[in-house]
Amino acid sequence: MNMENGRAQFPFPYQPYNIQEQFMQALYSALDQGKVGIFESPTGTGKSLSLICGALSWLRDHEEKSRQETAALLHEGEAALSTSTAPASATSSSAEPDWITDFVQKKAERDLVSKLKEEELKRKKREERLEMIRNNVQLKYAMKRKSCEDEEAFKLLHLSKEEDTETQGEQEDEELIIAEYESDDESKTRSRFFGAEDDADDELVEEHVTKIYYCSRTHSQLAQFVHEVQKSPFSKDISLVTLGSRQNLCINEAVRRLGSSQRINDRCMEMQKNKPEKPQHDEGAKRKRGPAKSVCPYKKASALQQMRDGVLGTVHDIEQMLKLGRETHSCPYYATRLAVPPAQLVVLPYQMLLHEATRRAAGVQLKGQVVIIDEAHNLSDTLSSIHSAELTGAQLCRAHSQLTQYADRYKSRLKAKNLMYIKQILFVIEGLVRVLGGKVGQNPQSQTTQTGTELHTINNFLFKAQIDNINLFKLQRYFEKSMINRKLGGFVEKYAGSGVSLHTQSSSNKENRRTEGLNRYLQTLQSNQSNQSNAPVSPADQQGSEAEKVLSASPMMQVEVFFMALTNSNTDGRVLVHRQGTLSESSVKFLLLNPAVHFAQVLKQCRAVIIAGGTMQPVSDFKQELLFSAGVGEERITEFSCGHVIPPENILPLVLCSGPSGQELDFTFQNRDSPRMMDETGRILSNICNVVPGGVVCFFPSYEYSRRMVSHWEASGVLTRLANKKKIFQEPKKANQVEQVLSDFSRCIQRCAADAGGLTGALLFSVVGGKMSEGINFSDDLGRCVVMVGMPYPNIKSPELQEKMSYLDKHLPHSGGRSPGQALIENLCMKAVNQSIGRAIRHRGDYSSIVLCDRRYSRPATLSKLPTWIKSRTSTHATFGPAFAALRKFFLEKKQKQV
């Protein structure tokens, strides 16, 4: 088989469609040549399977090829060593250099051979180990029994420890005190030499094999992908690992119960610092410390090793992984991290791959690896939002209040260097509050600010806040090293959560008089919680107090994230100061205008990057914004776009320029609220509902507009007319109600199909960019017609968008007589349209109509931004009659076919 020309055949669970074969061919050669590929394949065309089979075939061939190359090199090296070179003549004046060069050359060859041998040995070991894991079920049971016995012993030990430690000395808050700052690195090297656990950890460190990182937006999309891998021909011999946050993967119930991801992370890290007590440290000191610190029972090296083997041996999704973790008593979060180096396919959410700090923490190394980014239609927005950060006045005041009290309480026990940094942090927070027009030390809810929005470059912002003389980089490092926000979180939880307000503590009463006002304010914040904290909290209560918990958990964490954003960026960042009447509502927000900065690292380090999505149109701005700006040359980019698998007669896209009464459809900002437009929209919908069977999904540009439209229809009786034909559903604003509405919607449609009564189905009012337009499928009867009312342009008045437009206008070339800023607006709008209308056709036998209501859709520039498979079938109608006739005919034909 010739690698250069790609592959003739790909293993596939069934006979692939032609477009799937083409997709895999294109993918294979893009990976082989180390390209950046933009792959567009409409949903419903089996994109995931094509990605899996194409990419894993390449990986398999690549491994085989490098194996052969290694073998050849080894052979060569050994041959060279065995034929010794002729000895240099002793008389020659250059005898010594000859002898030395010969020796050096031999040594180099010998080193190469031994290195190759070592690598080969490692690879063999890895493979044998996997083989063993996959075959050795008996071993698993023995291990399981042992781990149960361990668990018993652990519990007994724990009980005896608790009885042992009743005394509490002055040392009680030891864990809340920030360690002496300078000696941080020394302490690290010290713990290297002591501590038996660390040795166990070191054995697990290994080099990364060539692998594919696959990332998508949500955990449910990742789970779908893993299920596809399980169905593929590769499921038996691929080692796959799914990464997730602690919130998704923790199995320690006591920690999971904390709810917010911030608190789960903090508690987990805290438990790891509490090493199980060891006899070699002096006993006496250890005992005084108060209650036994809890250690997580799931993080034992042997159990982690076992779980890691289990994960590598068979493909698990997150649910199965949690089950395995509970069985083996080991932590899925840490076991999966250990499994990254030897895994061939790593499945992970966007953030973990695209955000550098998170990537480092997860142990993801991109050098020379392959990255596939799926569902990438809004990659640039995702990059921007991952690297943006917002702080409200309420959070700032809370952080200031907590840190002041912390410093007051432990003044005598903190080192001078720590106090200096704490003062600086307080100074910076004061500056940020000043920019918002408020003062620290007073209740932010009662402080009024002048409403308004300003945008600043980072330097201007630092001047305005009068903090330009502080070295933010040093502060940022201090945050990381001292873990101050974790200590502060522990402090607040300990003293506030118990209903004990800080200033009733007699010992530190004197110090706290100055901060009396703050204390009162903190009490009011905590009073909501203190009611619940004494009683055992039921899960239902917990949901309710979630908001307060997030507020009180760690405002300092938000501050740290904001600092990180400020220090990470250069000329591409802006700070948006947003005053909203009261200080607590106002905010400072960091915006990243050029997402390419952070994407450039990924593009530079990886061997190949594949950016895939159902609709990648319009591709031009995507390339401009993320690839060219990141320094990728045109020659490294390869594009692949394929049609849909449905026969062309299964889709009917129509552009309507006017309604049944001849009213021109023009939903511009000026016209869209006129009663005439609203009535006409009602007429169009009731006509559509008369001829379309099953479900109709109607998208509005915004929640606000859909609310106005529906209340107008209620008043004019249009809604009643619609409700005679279809049962009406509305997209909920709360994310947790979406599932319910959807299942009611689909049940209603199934009932109507069976009953054949007056109702012919259901009508769902939805919002572009809302919960329903992303990742939810209206297949078959759920979506026989998708209606777009108007064009969903983003809010041009938003300062963030205006800043982004002017940034693009300054940095990118104008094309086709339009500024890059205008192009951005147009593209954002059409991206949103494509996302919404692509929801209706989900598989080969599906059919659906798409009605675009607005004359602006008929402009050639706009039409050209529709996905190719829709664009080629679209017809534009100046009047309503012919369009309606086409719609009627379309559904009649489909009905006759089914009979």
Side-chain angles (χ1 to χ4, degrees):
M1 183 197 73
N2 185 358
M3 278 282 280
E4 266 57 89
N5 311 330
R7 264 183 98 123
Q9 258 180 335
F10 293 89
F12 214 74
Y14 51 83
Q15 182 56 43
Y17 302 138
N18 276 350
I19 56 174
Q20 287 177 312
E21 297 225 323
Q22 292 157 13
F23 187 103
M24 292 187 284
Q25 295 277 359
L27 178 63
Y28 190 98
S29 57
L31 295 180
D32 206 40
Q33 293 155 21
K35 300 271 194 173
V36 174
I38 302 176
F39 280 67
E40 179 180 51
S41 165
T43 328
T45 53
K47 179 182 60 182
S48 305
L49 262 176
S50 312
L51 279 171
I52 291 164
C53 298
L56 293 181
S57 300
W58 171 81
L59 187 65
R60 206 180 256 176
D61 292 352
H62 176 77
E63 285 169 357
E64 184 49 46
K65 189 174 161 190
S66 51
R67 207 168 293 158
Q68 288 168 0
E69 280 170 7
T70 311
L73 274 174
L74 203 78
H75 190 72
E76 237 169 80
E78 281 174 332
L81 281 177
S82 60
T83 61
S84 99
T85 40
S89 59
T91 50
S92 147
S93 60
S94 62
E96 192 188 57
D98 258 5
W99 169 79
I100 287 176
T101 32
D102 192 45
F103 177 77
V104 169
Q105 192 186 351
K106 273 279 185 293
K107 184 172 179 347
E109 280 171 0
R110 254 199 313 277
D111 286 352
L112 178 73
V113 167
S114 63
K115 186 169 169 252
L116 288 171
K117 274 189 177 153
E118 197 180 330
E119 277 173 11
E120 189 62 12
L121 203 70
K122 272 187 194 159
R123 193 181 56 73
K124 281 221 174 77
K125 251 192 188 158
R126 260 201 313 269
E127 283 175 6
E128 280 163 16
R129 191 178 173 88
L130 264 177
E131 233 0 77
M132 198 178 82
I133 297 164
R134 287 190 176 133
N135 297 336
N136 225 340
V137 188
Q138 284 79 27
L139 188 81
K140 270 190 203 158
Y141 282 115
M143 292 273 276
K144 199 164 156 186
R145 206 169 45 248
K146 184 176 176 317
S147 78
C148 285
E149 286 161 13
D150 282 357
E151 183 69 7
E152 286 298 296
F154 180 84
K155 277 187 185 148
L156 286 170
L157 191 79
H158 214 69
L159 285 174
S160 64
K161 231 183 251 173
E162 277 166 19
E163 289 154 19
D164 230 8
T165 52
E166 293 296 295
T167 51
Q168 278 197 353
E170 137 68 339
Q171 290 288 312
E172 62 161 343
D173 283 353
E174 195 58 43
E175 76 275 10
L176 297 178
I177 304 288
I178 302 173
E180 190 177 338
Y181 181 52
E182 266 95 355
S183 62
D184 190 77
D185 297 319
E186 298 161 37
S187 69
K188 262 207 200 105
T189 41
R190 245 203 333 276
S191 71
R192 267 297 135 68
F193 294 115
F194 303 120
E197 274 110 294
D198 290 358
D199 308 346
D201 282 351
D202 282 345
E203 285 169 23
L204 303 179
V205 177
E206 52 186 316
E207 88 243 62
H208 287 235
V209 304
T210 303
K211 61 172 76 1
I212 294 165
Y213 287 104
Y214 170 90
C215 60
S216 192
R217 279 160 49 96
T218 63
H219 279 290
S220 60
Q221 284 165 336
L222 294 175
Q224 270 173 335
F225 180 80
V226 174
H227 293 154
E228 294 286 335
V229 175
Q230 287 168 333
K231 287 189 291 197
S232 79
F234 294 88
S235 62
K236 290 282 174 284
D237 48 335
I238 180 83
S239 42
L240 174 148
V241 54
T242 307
L243 296 181
S245 59
R246 285 185 176 85
Q247 204 174 4
N248 292 101
L249 293 176
C250 176
I251 54 172
N252 185 335
E253 283 310 321
V255 179
R256 271 183 89 104
R257 232 175 277 139
L258 294 172
S260 80
S261 62
Q262 179 53 50
R263 295 168 63 129
I264 291 174
N265 287 345
D266 287 356
R267 178 62 48 86
C268 176
M269 302 296 268
E270 212 173 283
M271 287 174 120
Q272 285 174 59
K273 288 209 297 281
N274 308 337
K275 292 265 164 90
E277 277 142 47
K278 297 195 196 115
Q280 69 255 41
H281 295 294
D282 58 335
E283 280 289 307
K286 197 76 176 183
R287 281 279 166 243
K288 254 193 265 165
R289 237 201 221 162
K293 300 231 193 113
S294 55
V295 181
C296 187
Y298 298 102
K299 199 173 179 282
K300 290 209 279 301
S302 58
L304 287 181
Q305 186 74 319
Q306 182 195 350
M307 164 129 189
R308 161 185 176 250
D309 290 350
V311 168
L312 290 170
T314 33
V315 176
H316 292 72
D317 67 8
I318 284 200
E319 290 306 309
Q320 294 160 328
M321 222 148 60
L322 292 175
K323 187 165 170 281
L324 179 70
R326 291 191 182 104
E327 281 170 8
T328 53
H329 285 285
S330 77
C331 170
Y333 178 77
Y334 284 101
T336 49
R337 275 170 161 52
L338 290 177
V340 170
Q344 295 161 295
L345 181 53
V346 178
V347 177
L348 69 176
Y350 269 10
Q351 280 78 335
M352 275 190 162
L353 188 106
L354 299 174
H355 191 262
E356 196 197 1
T358 320
R359 195 162 62 224
R360 267 206 315 272
V364 168
Q365 296 178 9
L366 295 182
K367 188 114 191 70
Q369 307 291 23
V370 169
V371 165
I372 298 177
I373 301 172
D374 202 358
E375 298 296 331
H377 47 269
N378 38 16
L379 181 59
S380 57
D381 301 347
T382 305
L383 276 161
S384 298
S385 66
I386 290 176
H387 294 94
S388 297
E390 186 168 20
L391 274 176
T392 63
Q395 284 169 328
L396 284 166
C397 287
R398 202 170 281 120
H400 190 279
S401 142
Q402 290 178 5
L403 190 55
T404 310
Q405 293 174 77
Y406 176 84
D408 274 353
R409 184 177 180 91
Y410 301 123
K411 203 171 6 195
S412 55
R413 292 164 67 182
L414 287 166
K415 295 282 186 289
K417 195 81 167 187
N418 277 320
L419 284 169
M420 181 195 87
Y421 276 113
I422 288 176
K423 280 217 176 74
Q424 286 192 6
I425 294 172
L426 289 170
F427 181 75
V428 171
I429 294 176
E430 278 166 44
L432 297 180
V433 173
R434 209 173 22 242
V435 169
L436 288 175
K439 282 198 183 74
V440 292
Q442 297 168 10
N443 186 338
Q445 264 128 356
S446 60
Q447 294 188 56
T448 52
T449 55
Q450 288 176 322
T451 49
T453 303
E454 307 160 10
L455 256 154
H456 303 282
T457 60
I458 292 179
N459 284 344
N460 286 352
F461 175 72
L462 299 179
F463 275 115
K464 195 167 163 58
Q466 299 167 7
I467 52 175
D468 47 308
N469 55 344
I470 298 272
N471 183 338
L472 285 181
F473 289 93
K474 268 193 168 168
L475 270 193
Q476 170 60 31
R477 235 185 343 268
Y478 177 71
F479 263 121
E480 271 175 32
K481 290 273 196 289
S482 68
M483 303 209 276
I484 182 164
N485 66 52
R486 204 168 293 144
K487 308 269 185 196
L488 203 55
F491 167 73
V492 171
E493 212 159 293
K494 178 161 183 181
Y495 287 107
S498 58
V500 177
S501 117
L502 293 173
H503 65 274
T504 53
Q505 300 264 319
S506 55
S507 62
S508 54
N509 203 6
K510 289 194 291 295
E511 301 163 9
N512 268 324
R513 253 186 221 127
R514 285 199 323 262
T515 54
E516 193 113 27
L518 294 176
N519 284 322
R520 266 204 301 276
Y521 158 55
L522 199 82
Q523 258 185 304
T524 57
L525 288 178
Q526 295 299 345
S527 61
N528 309 337
Q529 276 190 299
S530 56
N531 315 340
Q532 295 175 349
S533 59
N534 307 334
V537 180
S538 73
D541 282 347
Q542 229 165 348
Q543 291 301 313
S545 63
E546 187 59 54
E548 286 114 63
K549 268 190 194 158
V550 171
L551 283 178
S552 65
S554 187
M556 208 29 111
M557 181 65 193
Q558 270 28 66
V559 175
E560 181 181 351
V561 170
F562 189 75
F563 273 27
M564 200 159 152
L566 282 183
T567 49
N568 256 351
S569 180
N570 39 25
T571 53
D572 304 305
R574 295 285 180 276
V575 178
L576 181 75
V577 177
H578 198 43
R579 296 196 198 93
Q580 285 200 307
T582 67
L583 177 59
S584 59
E585 299 287 302
S586 306
S587 63
V588 283
K589 184 172 185 186
F590 172 83
L591 302 176
L592 177 73
L593 296 178
N594 177 11
V597 191
H598 295 291
F599 196 45
Q601 305 168 332
V602 177
L603 293 165
K604 221 191 320 296
Q605 293 175 0
C606 290
R607 174 201 173 96
V609 177
I610 303 296
I611 301 162
T615 44
M616 296 301 292
Q617 284 312 81
V619 169
S620 54
D621 72 299
F622 188 86
K623 286 202 295 201
Q624 190 63 64
E625 194 179 0
L626 281 183
L627 302 181
F628 297 153
S629 315
V632 175
E634 183 68 75
E635 70 289 342
R636 195 184 166 199
I637 299 174
T638 163
E639 287 177 50
F640 174 85
S641 172
C642 66
H644 210 294
V645 285
I646 55 159
E649 66 273 10
N650 276 17
I651 171 180
L652 178 72
L654 306 166
V655 174
L656 288 184
C657 299
S658 60
S661 71
Q663 167 70 45
E664 187 179 45
L665 298 179
D666 181 16
F667 291 90
T668 44
F669 201 69
Q670 299 76 22
N671 299 338
R672 66 183 193 177
D673 283 334
S674 76
R676 287 202 315 281
M677 289 297 282
M678 291 188 163
D679 291 338
E680 196 70 345
T681 314
R683 282 184 212 109
I684 293 172
L685 262 186
S686 44
N687 273 303
I688 287 176
C689 289
N690 282 337
V691 297
V692 176
V696 175
V697 184
C698 175
F699 282 104
F700 291 101
S702 67
Y703 277 110
E704 195 33 47
Y705 188 55
S706 85
R707 198 185 54 73
R708 288 205 298 270
M709 182 80 89
V710 173
S711 57
H712 176 85
W713 287 346
E714 237 168 342
S716 65
V718 173
L719 215 55
T720 330
R721 276 210 306 283
L722 287 172
N724 289 337
K725 281 285 169 205
K726 307 264 182 203
K727 186 170 164 136
I728 294 175
F729 292 88
Q730 283 193 18
E731 172 173 333
K733 269 205 160 170
K734 289 210 174 91
N736 55 4
Q737 298 165 354
V738 171
E739 286 297 315
Q740 188 56 49
V741 172
L742 273 176
S743 69
D744 292 349
F745 176 69
S746 59
R747 264 208 304 278
C748 171
I749 290 171
Q750 285 160 357
R751 260 207 320 278
C752 294
D755 290 355
L759 279 182
T760 60
L763 168 62
L764 174 65
F765 293 138
S766 192
V767 175
V768 174
K771 318 278 177 305
M772 307 277 184
S773 65
E774 286 269 327
I776 287 174
N777 306 335
F778 298 109
S779 56
D780 299 326
D781 266 351
L782 293 189
R784 288 301 182 207
C785 180
V786 176
V787 183
M788 282 297 293
V789 176
M791 295 186 78
Y793 281 108
N795 176 10
I796 189 118
K797 292 205 175 66
S798 99
E800 305 175 25
L801 194 59
Q802 288 181 340
E803 189 62 25
K804 177 117 196 193
M805 285 168 72
S806 63
Y807 178 86
L808 292 176
D809 287 346
K810 209 159 73 204
H811 290 83
L812 296 184
H814 286 235
S815 63
R818 320 243 320 281
S819 73
Q822 285 166 320
L824 171 79
I825 295 282
E826 183 85 355
N827 289 336
L828 283 172
C829 166
M830 289 312 288
K831 244 186 217 162
V833 170
N834 292 344
Q835 264 317 297
S836 305
I837 61 183
R839 303 273 131 230
I841 301 257
R842 309 312 279 184
H843 59 83
R844 191 164 202 158
D846 210 349
Y847 61 90
S848 177
S849 56
I850 294 164
V851 181
L852 304 173
C853 305
D854 198 312
R855 65 186 182 82
R856 291 173 295 171
Y857 282 112
S858 61
R859 298 179 300 207
T862 306
L863 279 175
S864 72
K865 291 189 170 146
L866 288 169
T868 334
W869 59 281
I870 294 181
K871 186 167 55 194
S872 57
R873 303 287 301 162
T874 306
S875 54
T876 302
H877 297 273
T879 56
F880 185 73
F884 186 65
L887 194 66
R888 196 191 209 124
K889 178 167 171 251
F890 178 78
F891 285 107
L892 272 173
E893 280 173 2
K894 296 284 170 275
K895 195 172 178 181
Q896 283 159 1
K897 255 194 189 154
Q898 284 168 356
V899 172

